[in-house]
Amino acid sequence: MKNGIRCGICNGFIHKNAMTIDHINRKQDGGKGNAENGQITHPYCNTTYKN
């Protein structure tokens, strides 16, 4: 499992059927809608408040 996909927020392993894409820099803060500003995350991590 060393090479498994990990969440960009909590660093936990992600199942292939349970992943979402999150902005690294929020759009409200000037983040772009391109691939460089995206990270793979758990659905739960992507829907909770982050600082």
Side-chain angles (χ1 to χ4, degrees):
M1 285 287 287
K2 285 191 261 186
N3 297 331
I5 299 170
R6 292 189 175 260
C7 176
I9 297 171
C10 75
N11 204 34
F13 288 108
I14 301 177
H15 189 273
K16 66 178 181 173
N17 294 334
M19 60 176 72
T20 58
I21 305 296
D22 182 34
H23 289 96
I24 296 170
N25 295 313
R26 298 184 313 168
K27 287 179 127 182
Q28 296 123 319
D29 297 334
K32 305 270 186 214
N34 56 16
E36 290 80 28
N37 191 32
Q39 63 184 349
I40 297 174
T41 61
H42 291 114
Y44 176 77
C45 293
N46 194 9
T47 58
T48 57
Y49 180 76
K50 301 173 285 289
N51 287 329

